[in-house]
Amino acid sequence: MRLSQFGYYADFFISLALIATMLGLAILLPTWLMLGQWAMFAFVGTAGWTFIEYVVHRWLYHHVPFFRDVHAAHHAEPNAHIGAPPIVGIALIFAVFFVPSAGIHLTAASGLTTGVLVGYVSYMLVHHAAHYWTINPGSWLHRARRHHALHHHHSETCNFGITTTIWDHVFRTAVTSSGEQARSRLGAR
């Protein structure tokens, strides 16, 4: 779906505002132990996001008809503002992570959801940078951009990770800049 500039950038700012709000509330937790638990859940959410990002990009965006068609438009016009309508991603994150875990414990729900939102913002930022920014060669962001560019220009069957390449190595979908299948240190024989 083609978005206006407002629609394209809205999730960046809304997500950052939600992260800041939940972090602010976490700082007000009554004990250091609870703050530590919140931080642990936030870490788990951020790390878990990398797997969610890989799964959504590889299987949802490239195999499920409606999502595949929208994502194909992004591949056809990589610099166009194409994506989900504002708030949809954020609402899904709250529905999938906050709502079920809030029944267990609000600290866990808040930390986990904040972590997933941090991952989501990281994904949006790295993906945006890969398509729009001039990036200094040799930097981590430049390597992430090359990894994503190979997905667009070499083969849509590789390099699904945006914020990290770890899952591409785990599932052997990583392709190097020379177009060769990367040898995974995680289980290569």
Side-chain angles (χ1 to χ4, degrees), residues 149-188:
L150 287 167
H151 173 74
H152 273 270
H153 304 293
H154 174 70
S155 172
E156 291 182 20
T157 63
C158 68
N159 295 8
F160 297 101
I162 306 296
T163 57
T164 181
T165 63
I166 185 116
W167 299 110
D168 281 304
H169 288 282
V170 168
F171 293 109
R172 298 177 184 236
T173 56
V175 170
T176 66
S177 59
S178 65
E180 296 295 320
Q181 192 76 23
R183 290 219 173 257
S184 173
R185 292 187 196 132
L186 304 170

Side-chain angles (χ1 to χ4, degrees), residues 12 17 23 51 65 75 109 112 122 131 150 167 178 185:
F12 279 106
L23 178 59
F51 182 68
H75 276 269
L112 184 65
S122 300
H131 287 284
L150 287 167
W167 299 110
S178 65
R185 292 187 196 132

